[in-house]
Amino acid sequence: MLKNTLYDKLWNSHQVRTTAEGASVLYIDRHLVHEVTSPQAFEGLRIAGRKPWRVDSVLAVPDHNVPTTDRSVGISDPVARVQVETLDNNCVEFGLTEFKMDDPRQGIVHVVGPEAGATLPGMTVVCGDSHTSTHGALGALAFGIGTSEVEHVLATQCLIQQKSKNMLVRIDGQLRAGVSAKDMALAVIGEIGTAGGTGYAIEFGGEAVRALSIEGRMTLCNMTIEAGARAGMVAVDEKTIEYVRGRTYAPKGEQWEQAKAAWADLHSDDGAEFDRVVTLDGATIEPQVTWGTSPEMVLPVDGHVPRPEDEVDSVKRGNIERALTYMGLEGGQAITDIQLDKVFIGSCTNSRIEDLRDAAAVINGRKVAETINQALVVPGSGLVKRQAEAEGLDKLFIDAGFEWREPGCSMCLAMNADRLESGEHCASTSNRNFEGRQGQGGRTHLVSPAMAAAAAIAGHFVDVTKDNQGGV
Amino acid sequence: MDAFTTLDGLVVPLDRANVDTDAIIPKQFLKSVKRSGFGPNLFDEWRYLDRGEPDQDSSGRPLNSDFVLNQPRYSGAEILIARDNFGCGSSREHAVWALLDYGIRVVIAPSFADIFYNNCFKNGVLPFVLAADEVDRIFKEIEANEGYRLQVDLAAQHVTLPSGETMRFEIDNFRKECLLQGLDEIGLSLQHADAVRNYETKRKQDAPWLFSS
Ligand code: SF4
């Protein structure tokens, strides 16, 4: 019998037809929409006099532009306000479900989708956002698309796609205490590079991946796009089923039983062939910190920033020199010597309840260092925020000197007022450290929630696996 | 979408790898609900010395004269050449809209990020891959020859250098046809609406929970 990978199975079950030129037309089960990449798509529909093909497949939520401070005053930035209102109006006009800014379920689209059960195993999930890869954690085929494709899916429920190649990233062994899914993601990117996954769909497997919670798997799949792959995924197991059970849009009753039976097949067949296999030993992964302006510029926390003169390839040497200049670092400097100005705990990578628990556990009664200008905690959704408050995490953060905010993308991309000033160094749990990403001239260091919390307290990076005052 | 067939254009070299879409069009300009008008803010943080804001007239802003797009010899360029992994990062199609609005119709690199590559085709911009050594050679030739132009022929899938030599590039047939004819992909897809309905009918039987929300 033909052996299929999980990606093959998901692809095959959604192929509507192939075009004369050999491209595949894929059916899309779930379309998530946010305010930044959708207005031009709705406008396109209007101009062409088209309607959404299947309104019940769409779930919209504003997240990028929303303020994370008091919501009752609305959005003060007029341009951002127009964009959020445009989403509201489009959803009304076309009859789409939206969790609006004042809805308790509002949050970052990639936190909201799985949380609402809108993302289910076996689905194809798209969104005009590259971090749609997150949803692959549930055994779905999920990938980001551009605005023209948003319009295409709205109008036809389909996308014309070329199939990617199969890559397996297998992480064996057990992670050490204090090492998390974020460190795994960064270690994988350090290993294969930011273009290593280009043209591939990545399945994550191995003991260390199986041991992750579903939220941890989301963190891992979230950053597949930083490894160059549009889609990342993990096979369905008992944890997946338990995660989905009872969520708002999850199947119920007889359909639940039927769905569960179908989902049991959502794994790669034994002996299925991958075009590329990468293996890592989970036990050797250390807490990771990025030092440069690309996620592949990453090192273990006890490492030293590279010296350009040690690099023989002139293009790479140029990249290192440019990154060091932008980041204001000296070649050879210890990662733990980098002084920080801000700390950001949030984003679709690390703003779920387990992330907040991890960060809170490190604080253990200590205070944010005097030298830190601002330390933000931005929960991924209103429901995450509520849960954290029920557990008293908000108090732990606030007592330590963190600000406790309303849900949204916030300083991950700094479209709202939350941003770095030029030259500031930030320990951030987000996913991109590009130049200017968190504010023009801002210097981002990507880390796990536990590492970010420890850095807030120390004022510089410390190895959380050795930080014996903390709770980890 | 405008068709793309051939182009004889001036080439601007952007000698960087991993040029991300945040750099191509910074986030503050994503607040626009339009598709046009992004050209003046293409590479905003590299191109200007001050911080750009949406809805601002960029014509009087201080330019970074070191940035390649600001050098007079590249003014009016329609072809951009860069290093590996061009267009990585965010899925924002605004990056392509900005390039197009500025006047770029062709992007050449040794590799592209998938989503950016795909977005180009939806907007009549042709991205193609040349081998790293070919790209390197073009960079050197540009450096040595002011007014360096390339002739791109999509139907023939090659680019002609000033010396008359050609370099071939690969492109899949579906994208090529759409671009050559400037086709409306949605209109094309809707011609096959029946196939989608048939798929849905079958799928509703096999997986009804996907249709019940
Ligand atoms: S949190 Fe950051 S990466 Fe995630 S969707 Fe928002 S802006 Fe994008």
Side-chain angles (χ1 to χ4, degrees):
Chain A
M1 215 183 81
L2 195 63
K3 316 262 193 234
N4 284 314
T5 64
L6 172 59
Y7 174 60
D8 295 335
K9 291 179 186 181
L10 292 166
W11 184 274
N12 294 342
S13 61
H14 289 86
Q15 188 160 288
V16 173
R17 63 181 181 94
T18 48
T19 68
E21 297 83 7
S24 295
V25 177
L26 281 195
Y27 189 82
I28 303 304
D29 296 314
R30 177 65 69 197
H31 187 185
L32 302 166
V33 170
H34 67 71
E35 78 277 24
V36 176
T37 53
S38 67
Q40 298 87 351
F42 286 114
E43 186 61 19
L45 281 190
R46 254 191 303 273
I47 290 169
R50 291 174 177 138
K51 294 245 167 310
W53 182 279
R54 228 188 97 195
V55 290
D56 68 332
S57 69
V58 180
L59 177 62
V61 60
D63 54 5
H64 285 62
N65 262 318
V66 299
T68 57
T69 46
D70 185 6
R71 292 271 166 85
S72 61
V73 297
I75 306 178
S76 56
D77 174 352
V79 196
R81 189 173 61 232
V82 167
Q83 201 168 51
V84 172
E85 286 170 358
T86 303
L87 178 65
D88 295 348
N89 295 339
N90 282 326
C91 289
V92 171
E93 179 183 339
F94 292 104
L96 308 173
T97 305
E98 183 193 7
F99 294 174
K100 293 173 76 160
M101 194 172 85
D102 54 4
D103 190 309
R105 299 166 298 178
Q106 180 270 343
I108 305 170
V109 65
H110 309 306
V111 175
V112 168
E115 184 177 79
T119 307
L120 296 173
M123 273 184 166
T124 41
V125 180
V126 297
C127 175
D129 195 283
S130 58
H131 289 99
T132 310
S133 56
T134 311
H135 308 259
L138 294 166
L141 173 56
F143 54 89
I145 57 179
T147 298
S148 294
E149 288 179 317
V150 169
E151 185 181 341
H152 200 284
V153 176
L154 282 169
T156 72
Q157 210 59 39
C158 294
L159 273 179
I160 303 169
Q161 295 288 300
Q162 279 75 18
K163 196 176 175 197
S164 304
K165 289 181 283 185
N166 279 290
M167 186 189 295
L168 174 66
V169 173
R170 207 181 67 223
I171 309 174
D172 301 318
Q174 287 180 11
L175 296 183
R176 293 155 57 214
V179 178
S180 72
K182 179 62 162 288
D183 301 302
M184 288 166 84
L186 288 169
V188 169
I189 295 163
E191 177 78 19
I192 70 173
T194 47
T198 305
Y200 289 92
I202 298 181
E203 179 177 344
F204 295 98
E207 187 187 350
V209 175
R210 301 248 66 87
L212 288 177
S213 68
I214 298 301
E215 293 193 2
R217 295 177 193 179
M218 287 188 215
T219 301
L220 185 58
C221 289
N222 175 273
M223 289 194 74
T224 36
I225 187 67
E226 274 66 49
R230 272 176 101 170
M233 62 199 82
V234 177
V236 169
D237 61 10
E238 267 309 308
K239 286 185 196 168
T240 325
I241 309 281
E242 283 316 307
Y243 178 89
V244 173
R245 185 193 298 273
R247 294 191 183 264
T248 310
Y249 294 102
K252 309 271 160 17
E254 194 190 324
Q255 285 196 0
W256 170 252
E257 296 305 322
Q258 218 181 335
K260 255 189 357 182
W263 295 342
D265 187 46
L266 293 175
H267 56 80
S268 291
D269 293 329
D270 279 345
E273 291 218 2
F274 288 86
D275 301 287
R276 187 174 170 199
V277 177
V278 175
T279 52
L280 276 80
D281 177 3
T284 62
I285 297 176
E286 292 181 59
Q288 305 281 306
V289 181
T290 66
W291 58 268
T293 53
S294 164
E296 70 190 9
M297 293 173 162
V298 64
L299 286 167
V301 59
D302 58 5
H304 292 77
V305 171
R307 297 175 201 274
E309 57 272 26
D310 295 344
E311 177 59 59
V312 283
D313 181 300
S314 68
V315 174
K316 285 189 188 146
R317 188 166 58 240
N319 288 340
I320 293 173
E321 278 167 355
R322 191 176 295 123
L324 289 178
T325 307
Y326 181 84
M327 295 297 289
L329 298 174
E330 299 283 335
Q333 197 174 336
I335 294 279
T336 48
D337 283 349
I338 300 171
Q339 297 302 310
L340 298 163
D341 304 292
K342 283 188 178 161
V343 175
F344 171 61
I345 298 175
S347 90
C348 59
T349 314
N350 283 129
S351 63
R352 297 178 183 81
I353 190 67
E354 292 173 11
D355 299 317
L356 303 189
R357 286 178 192 145
D358 271 3
V362 169
I363 298 173
N364 201 23
R366 294 178 290 176
K367 300 268 184 246
V368 171
E370 291 281 325
T371 49
I372 299 288
N373 300 332
Q374 186 179 42
L376 284 186
V377 185
V378 185
S381 73
L383 298 181
V384 170
K385 181 167 187 259
R386 196 179 278 184
Q387 174 69 28
E389 288 169 353
E391 296 178 18
L393 302 184
D394 57 327
K395 293 220 167 47
L396 290 177
F397 284 119
I398 293 167
D399 289 349
F402 286 87
E403 295 174 36
W404 179 247
R405 296 293 189 91
E406 298 295 326
C409 294
S410 180
M411 205 191 276
C412 172
L413 93 166
M415 270 187 90
N416 67 5
D418 311 334
R419 64 171 72 123
L420 301 183
E421 298 307 323
S422 190
E424 283 185 327
H425 285 269
C426 179
S428 177
T429 66
S430 57
N431 44 47
R432 288 189 173 137
N433 53 350
F434 301 152
E435 288 183 22
R437 171 78 178 184
Q438 296 192 291
Q440 191 163 10
R443 294 159 171 169
T444 302
H445 302 275
L446 304 175
V447 290
S448 72
M451 284 287 288
I457 288 156
H460 58 85
F461 292 112
V462 289
D463 184 345
V464 278
T465 64
K466 298 185 184 134
D467 173 41
N468 51 20
Q469 286 193 59
V472 226
Chain B
M1 180 184 86
D2 290 341
F4 184 100
T5 50
T6 58
L7 176 74
D8 177 344
L10 187 70
V11 192
V12 57
L14 183 59
D15 198 356
R16 295 192 185 210
N18 298 314
V19 172
D20 59 79
T21 53
D22 274 81
I24 299 174
I25 184 83
K27 83 279 282 172
Q28 63 267 36
F29 306 107
L30 271 49
K31 293 175 184 174
S32 167
V33 294
K34 297 183 297 229
R35 260 177 193 267
S36 55
F38 296 102
N41 303 110
L42 175 70
F43 297 117
D44 200 274
E45 289 186 9
W46 292 343
R47 210 162 132 200
Y48 301 100
L49 296 171
D50 62 347
R51 182 188 149 87
E53 293 297 340
D55 289 340
Q56 164 196 29
D57 177 8
S58 290
S59 57
R61 294 172 57 199
L63 293 174
N64 171 10
S65 55
D66 288 342
F67 186 56
V68 71
L69 247 54
N70 291 330
Q71 295 169 18
R73 64 182 282 198
Y74 300 119
S75 149
E78 293 172 280
I79 301 174
L80 178 83
I81 187 164
R83 302 286 184 180
D84 262 314
N85 201 25
F86 189 86
C88 60
S90 142
S91 65
R92 60 187 71 165
E93 199 161 314
H94 312 65
V96 181
W97 300 335
L99 286 164
L100 186 63
D101 200 55
Y102 180 85
I104 302 290
R105 291 299 303 275
V106 170
V107 187
I108 305 171
S111 61
F112 289 93
D114 288 337
I115 303 179
F116 173 84
Y117 181 77
N118 207 33
N119 285 342
C120 284
F121 289 97
K122 315 290 179 188
N123 294 281
V125 172
L126 172 65
F128 63 83
V129 168
L130 292 178
D133 57 337
E134 293 176 320
V135 168
D136 208 45
R137 178 176 153 195
I138 295 176
F139 266 102
K140 292 202 173 90
E141 292 189 5
I142 298 172
E143 177 72 42
N145 301 283
E146 197 161 331
Y148 189 89
R149 301 176 78 83
L150 289 171
Q151 288 175 2
V152 178
D153 185 334
L154 174 56
Q157 290 182 225
H158 67 220
V159 52
T160 308
L161 276 51
S163 63
E165 281 170 80
T166 60
M167 291 176 180
R168 189 179 157 77
F169 58 83
E170 296 304 324
I171 177 168
D172 81 73
N173 279 331
F174 180 76
R175 288 179 170 131
K176 180 174 168 180
E177 282 311 311
C178 287
L179 208 50
L180 281 172
Q181 299 177 46
L183 294 176
D184 164 22
E185 278 190 28
I186 296 178
L188 273 185
S189 286
L190 287 173
Q191 289 173 11
H192 299 272
D194 281 349
V196 183
R197 286 196 196 95
N198 292 340
Y199 173 89
E200 284 181 327
T201 307
K202 178 157 185 315
R203 194 78 175 148
K204 270 179 204 164
Q205 286 164 6
D206 299 347
W209 62 88
L210 293 173
F211 295 85
S212 54
S213 62

